[in-house]
Amino acid sequence: MQTLKLILKNAMRHKLRTALTVLGLVVATLAFGLLQTVVGAWYAGANAASNTRLVTRNAISLVFPLPLSYEARIRGIDGVNGVAYGNWFGGIYQEPKNFFPQFAISTRSYLDLYPEFVLNDDQRAAFERDRKGCVVGKKLAAQYGFKIGDVIPLKGTIFPGQWEFVVRGIYEGKNATTDTSQFFFHWDYLNETMLKTAKPRANQVGFYVVRIANADNAASVSRAIDTQFKNSLAETLTETEKAFQLGFVSMSEAIVVAIRVVSFVVIVIIMAVMANTMAMSARERLAEYATLKALGFGPGFLAQLIFGESLLIALFGATLGIALLFPVAHAFSAKMGTLFPVFEIAPRTLLLQFLAALTVGIVAAIAPTLRSTRVNIVDGLRSIG
């Protein structure tokens, strides 16, 4: 207990210096946690993917469509127990900056394949009845103030024209990792319009979502699907939903790597600041350490004092930084809107913050401890702090 009191008094001996060091640790820990959460948000779609869902698209590129007639042939392959399809719509809501994902979907079959999109029975029935109806996610509805019955106008880019949809349902996520920033409407509505205005583009889908009975058969079912359409005018590429999502992440991998590097650079910088603080403290107290050694206190006791003070400051600053991460992340997520559909602080991030602070505290105390424990008593008593 006496040792703890002595450590606390040492830490508070220079209040301004300690306060500034703690402030630096708070900022560094907060920045590290926020950057790690941003990286996690990048992979949220892949991490939330189901291992029993496959995605089939055109083998050349996602830009090229597939015939609607493929649905029945995919459904007949062994191991497949559900097929849905959809198209990326890419419309503009009021201004180009108001981006959110929009999909024309095979209504009933698509929603059946995504049980994580929780929609009550009444809203689902209303959506299925209304050919111009749409369903929006809870986060998207909150961002733009969409309510049941609202008419949402979209300016088509891939599918030109002015489109209007009536909000018939607002879905929630089954858990915190579910994307609730999406917009769904009837693929039939899109197809009927194409039949009238651009007939060659009708009866084409952008992708198929395939549910398989056994996740262990993902590779064999994928091969069977692609073999089915080999040497056709529209060959397919089938992969797991997670691989499909990671394909998008890989397009921006350089940015993700840069964010990761910066987050660790922040820790290295604060480690240098902390080491400098502890070195200054130890240099000022050489005479005190020499006196303690003259009174019979060994190197182990001096090490306890220095390591204790360093860890106390590091962990106190880290605790404040971790506590601030939650409100800051919430505000950041609200500001970013649908850019990061899922922005959750992972337990792993909190653990990394704690371990980083622990490492800073230990590393910063090593050099001052070595110097203090090796100091000659006479030289130490001669020193001026």
Side-chain angles (χ1 to χ4, degrees):
M1 184 59 73
Q2 290 300 321
T3 304
L4 291 176
K5 287 182 179 178
L6 196 54
I7 290 171
L8 184 60
K9 286 185 176 179
N10 280 342
M12 298 303 294
R13 191 177 295 186
H14 292 280
K15 292 184 176 60
L16 179 60
R17 186 166 65 198
T18 302
L20 291 174
T21 305
V22 169
L23 179 62
L25 283 159
V26 171
V27 173
T29 307
L30 179 60
F32 178 77
L34 195 59
L35 291 172
Q36 288 292 322
T37 305
V38 168
V39 172
W42 231 286
Y43 288 92
N47 293 334
S50 169
N51 57 4
T52 59
R53 285 196 296 255
L54 308 177
V55 177
T56 299
R57 61 179 177 85
N58 193 298
I60 299 173
S61 168
L62 191 59
V63 174
F64 297 97
L66 295 170
L68 178 62
S69 58
Y70 280 13
E71 181 196 8
R73 296 171 66 181
I74 294 174
R75 197 180 294 278
I77 292 174
D78 285 343
V80 173
N81 65 7
V83 181
Y85 50 86
N87 278 81
W88 172 261
F89 184 68
I92 297 173
Y93 175 64
Q94 297 179 339
E95 299 178 65
K97 68 177 183 179
N98 297 334
F99 171 81
F100 53 85
Q102 306 144 15
F103 295 97
I105 60 171
S106 55
T107 311
R108 188 169 297 175
S109 58
Y110 193 93
L111 292 178
D112 287 344
L113 259 58
Y114 286 88
E116 60 266 41
F117 298 152
V118 180
L119 186 65
N120 71 48
D121 293 341
D122 292 340
Q123 292 184 11
R124 176 163 176 164
F127 174 50
E128 291 179 356
R129 280 196 302 269
D130 186 357
R131 187 57 61 93
K132 295 180 70 174
C134 68
V135 171
V136 300
K138 183 180 178 182
K139 186 172 184 176
L140 180 62
Q143 183 173 353
Y144 294 105
F146 296 151
K147 301 184 293 296
I148 301 293
D150 283 356
V151 176
I152 301 177
L154 293 178
K155 180 182 179 182
T157 53
I158 301 172
F159 302 96
Q162 290 293 335
W163 301 72
E164 288 189 344
F165 305 94
V166 182
V167 178
R168 295 302 182 192
I170 298 176
Y171 74 87
E172 298 189 13
K174 190 175 183 179
N175 50 55
T177 61
T178 303
D179 183 356
T180 57
S181 67
Q182 301 187 63
F183 175 101
F184 300 117
F185 66 95
H186 294 277
W187 182 88
D188 288 340
Y189 176 40
L190 176 69
N191 194 51
E192 287 166 3
T193 305
M194 289 298 102
L195 283 169
K196 296 174 186 174
T197 60
K199 202 167 183 178
R201 299 183 66 186
N203 297 321
Q204 304 283 323
V205 303
F207 58 89
Y208 287 97
V209 181
V210 181
R211 186 176 60 201
I212 55 177
N214 188 342
D216 294 336
N217 297 332
S220 60
V221 173
S222 297
R223 281 196 300 273
I225 294 172
D226 293 340
T227 302
Q228 180 80 242
F229 305 109
K230 194 170 184 181
N231 298 322
S232 68
L233 290 177
E235 294 190 354
T236 61
L237 173 63
T238 303
E239 54 195 345
T240 61
E241 189 178 51
K242 185 168 187 173
F244 179 74
Q245 295 281 358
L246 287 174
F248 288 98
V249 175
S250 66
M251 296 177 189
S252 53
E253 192 172 6
I255 298 174
V256 177
V257 171
I259 294 174
R260 281 191 193 277
V261 171
V262 169
S263 69
F264 286 102
V265 167
V266 169
I267 295 300
V268 173
I269 291 172
I270 195 59
M271 188 182 292
V273 172
M274 184 72 186
N276 182 57
T277 299
M278 293 308 302
M280 290 173 65
S281 299
R283 187 173 62 245
E284 293 168 358
R285 297 172 195 161
L286 276 181
E288 297 175 27
Y289 295 145
T291 303
L292 287 171
K293 292 179 77 172
L295 292 173
F297 291 97
F301 182 73
L302 298 182
Q304 283 183 44
L305 293 180
I306 298 171
F307 270 95
E309 182 180 349
S310 181
L311 288 171
L312 177 66
I313 294 173
L315 295 179
F316 181 66
T319 302
L320 291 178
I322 292 172
L324 283 173
L325 177 61
F326 290 91
V328 170
H330 180 73
F332 183 82
S333 176
K335 186 68 177 176
M336 291 295 103
T338 54
L339 182 61
F340 293 114
V342 178
F343 197 79
E344 293 291 320
I345 301 168
R348 179 176 176 274
T349 298
L350 301 179
L351 179 63
L352 284 174
Q353 285 178 294
F354 175 77
L355 291 177
L358 191 65
T359 304
V360 167
I362 292 173
V363 172
I366 292 175
T369 301
L370 290 175
R371 183 180 180 187
S372 302
T373 54
R374 291 173 180 173
V375 67
N376 183 280
I377 293 176
V378 176
D379 293 337
L381 291 173
R382 284 177 181 165
S383 69
I384 301 174

